[in-house]
Amino acid sequence: MSWTQILSQLHYMIPEESKHGTYVGRIAQDLGLEINEINTRMLRIISREQNEYFQVNLQNGILFVKNAIDREELCPNLPVCIVSIQIIVDKPVQMHRVDVEIEDINDNYPVFPAGEYTISIAETKQPGSRFPLEAAVDTDIGTNSVTNYELSANEYFTLEFPKFIHQIRSLQLVLKQSLDREKLNFLNLTVTAFDGGKPRLSGSTQLIINVEDINDNSPTFNQSFYQFSVAENSPKETLVGRLNATDMDQGKNGEILYEFSKLVSQHVLSVFSLNKYTGEIRVNGELDHEKSNSYEIHVDAFDNGEPPLTGHCQIIVMVIDVNDNTPEITVTSLSSPVAEDASQGTIVAIISVHDRDSGANGRVNCYIEPPSPFKINAAFTGDFSLVVNAPLDRETKSEYEVVITAKDEGSPALSASMKISVQVGDVNDNAPQFQQLADTVFIKENNPPGSLIYTASASDLDYGQNSFVTYSLSDSSIDGIPMSSYISINPENGKLFALVSFDHEQVSYFQCHIKATDAGLPPLSSKLMLNIFIVDINDNAPDFLTDISTSASAISIIAPKSAQAGHLVTKVRAIDMDSGYNAWVSYKIKNSVGNAPFVIAQQTGEISLMRPLSEMDVDEFRLFVVAEDHGDPSMTAITQIIISLTDANEVTNIIHHHNSKGNSDEFSDANVYLVVAICSISSIFLITLISFTVLRWQKYREEVNHLKENYKICSNTLGSWVYSQQSQYRFYSNSLQAKNDLIVFATNGSQDGLEVEL
């Protein structure tokens, strides 16, 4: 495949600012291509411009405008603006050049470089003298550019503006008649420039003419307006531009010196320097685009005449921006701490970001790192807000270090970071918590009043006032007596003290609730159920039951001499007010007088013959019976049993009378005491159980209603017992012992247990 020569060249014309889709020409037809060849030969456009201004409709072969064209931007200061495009087709490969001329429209006003000009003219100037003026600038071309000037009415001056190819190349002020400084020393004229467009546009400037009677030729710059550009941060002595002025005079009057005009500020004088002999302008100070992006400088050219004459020019120095400023981050508002219950979208901080650069160098984006429950939202240009983006929990994390990074879009990009410490404020959202919902305390009876029996401890995950915990006892009573009469609690440290000396025989068990309350608003609280058991100690000695006054030291018994081994002589009973092993009484005979043929049952206290009586035995035996409990240390009681031996006939009536009375007394004394003791213990237990059930019902009625559906309720003639996974109670009865033993198993959790034996 080889490229063929250019076969044809087309030229189209369209006005500038044509909109998208504007018809340019039938390019396929003009190139001699059939409509079906557009696709088969793969017609395509190649443009040297960065922007694609034109496009071909592949259906009909029409070339149309793709993007609007600004002629002044595309072809500044060019009389003809042509956009060249290449049309390439394959099979065979052909290349065509198409020129699209962009016609100017009148969309710009004539503008003078300055709003006022001052000219000094010697009075010796002859009529017909010409003085060049700065022409107005119109970025349009042709008839749309400046085509005419008008000068305000006066008798001394007129304007000449010779045209070359329909364009005004220069503007001159022409003296019509001689000046006389003594009659008129200055004139104030208005110069108006008109373009030839439709509609006709104009611009004007003031012309102040000073009449002088000295040097008749002033220096003239080759340009009345200069424009230079220099990059910011350029080093000193960097050349900005060179001025050139000439003087038609000769000798000393033609020598020219350059100086900054008196209108130039001190700041400009510190930034730029001017060589008085060469007219070179160089960098003399710091150039900062962010402080000033352009400088307007007026320069005068003086000759050495007497008096010297002056020429003037205007210079615009554009400072080109470079990305030399990092973004500046300022926190204008910070709300810290942030409440942990703050909703999403709550503004935490307002951040202002400023980049002193311009354009892309000054456009800044913000983001935060590391990931946190906050995010950055853009508010206005240069302003951002830091807002809550996820739930906060002070108990999980109380402070966040948020790093805010601002990065500009320059090349290379510059960035700056700022760390903001955001504290999470506490709200009272956590109630005090005990380590367990229930606990058990064992107190030995006869404790000294004021003794420490328990220390409650609850912790609150909140902070400050919200975590300050105080302790109190819930209102309750024991047998109608307020709980506060028995125990008290220190509200600050939760120490529980006994106010009285407990007696197991009076109170064996009670329950209290310790309430832990924080100081938040509103206050939150939780409760601990405390089961208090009064542990029995061996503080009661056994007491024998007799049918005589307790002050008696002996019990008299009559037994027949004919009794055989195993004969029951009598039975003694002793009661211990303690419970459990402390109340378990055993009997023994101690230091009997003579070789007594009697033996006593250790458990029942029954005294019987261990051998038949003989004639050798005495008629009276004195036995010392000891009742001993199983406490540690054990306690004992002793009584004397006097057994008198008689014949069988004598003993019959005595036994009959004694048995009838003894049985009655036995029932009325010993058995009654035993029944009363058993009933008392049972009543205390029943009252305690009922009180516990009522308190539990009041405290946890909702829980009980729920448990009714899941728990099995069993009933018998003694009442109802509820079995659950939270608490289990077992009752055992030992009929072999003198007193019932009560064993209670209670759970704090699902598996833990305690055992109390009464």
Side-chain angles (χ1 to χ4, degrees), residues 388-578:
V388 177
N389 192 41
L392 301 175
D393 186 2
R394 192 206 67 82
E395 289 71 40
T396 302
K397 191 169 184 178
S398 61
E399 185 176 5
Y400 291 89
E401 295 291 341
V402 180
V403 178
I404 300 175
T405 301
K407 188 175 183 180
D408 62 27
E409 296 181 5
S411 180
L414 300 178
S415 63
S417 297
M418 172 179 283
K419 182 184 293 184
I420 297 179
S421 178
V422 180
Q423 295 181 349
V424 180
D426 185 52
V427 297
N428 194 26
D429 57 348
N430 290 280
Q433 295 294 327
F434 291 98
Q435 293 183 352
Q436 50 193 5
L437 297 178
D439 203 353
T440 303
V441 176
F442 297 94
I443 307 173
K444 289 186 178 181
E445 63 175 333
N446 301 331
N447 59 288
S451 58
L452 177 65
I453 61 175
Y454 185 76
T455 300
S457 178
S459 59
D460 195 315
L461 295 177
D462 293 322
Y463 177 75
Q465 178 179 337
N466 295 331
S467 65
F468 182 76
V469 179
T470 57
Y471 302 89
S472 61
L473 293 174
S474 299
D475 294 334
S476 60
S477 61
I478 303 176
D479 295 336
I481 301 175
M483 183 70 68
S484 59
S485 299
Y486 289 92
I487 55 177
S488 68
I489 191 168
N490 188 316
E492 295 182 358
N493 55 29
K495 291 185 176 181
L496 191 66
F497 298 93
L499 299 179
V500 298
S501 179
F502 289 103
D503 188 351
H504 173 81
E505 287 71 39
Q506 294 181 0
V507 178
S508 61
Y509 164 80
F510 64 93
Q511 187 182 82
C512 70
H513 291 84
I514 298 176
K515 183 178 181 181
T517 306
D518 60 28
L521 291 175
L524 302 177
S525 63
S526 62
K527 288 186 177 181
L528 168 68
M529 183 178 69
L530 193 62
N531 298 302
I532 300 177
F533 290 90
I534 309 303
V535 180
D536 181 55
I537 63 174
N538 195 23
D539 60 344
N540 291 284
D543 186 17
F544 283 97
L545 298 177
T546 62
D547 56 355
I548 60 175
S549 174
T550 56
S551 61
S553 60
I555 300 174
S556 297
I557 300 297
I558 298 175
K561 293 182 178 179
S562 60
Q564 298 299 315
H567 174 73
L568 177 61
V569 176
T570 186
K571 182 177 182 180
V572 295
R573 290 183 181 274
I575 295 178
D576 195 319
M577 296 303 293
D578 294 323

Side-chain angles (χ1 to χ4, degrees), residues 58 215 498 575 587 647 757:
L58 300 179
N215 198 8
I575 295 178
Y587 304 91
D647 294 333
E757 183 179 77

Side-chain angles (χ1 to χ4, degrees), residues 701-713:
R701 58 182 181 273
E702 295 181 358
E703 179 183 353
V704 171
N705 290 334
H706 178 70
L707 292 175
K708 284 182 179 180
E709 300 177 0
N710 303 319
Y711 290 28
K712 179 180 179 182
I713 300 178

Side-chain angles (χ1 to χ4, degrees), residues 4 32 60 79 149 158 183 351 382 448-449 463-464 521 574 608 642 652 662 668:
T4 63
N60 53 26
Y149 289 92
T158 186
K183 293 181 180 180
I351 300 148
Y463 177 75
L521 291 175
S608 58
I642 301 174
T652 301
S668 62

Side-chain angles (χ1 to χ4, degrees), residues 32 39 50 54 64 124 181 210 225 272 453 482 527 621 736:
N39 291 316
Q50 293 183 352
F54 304 101
F64 63 90
T124 58
R181 183 180 178 280
N210 294 320
F225 177 81
F272 299 100
I453 61 175
K527 288 186 177 181
F621 292 92
L736 298 178

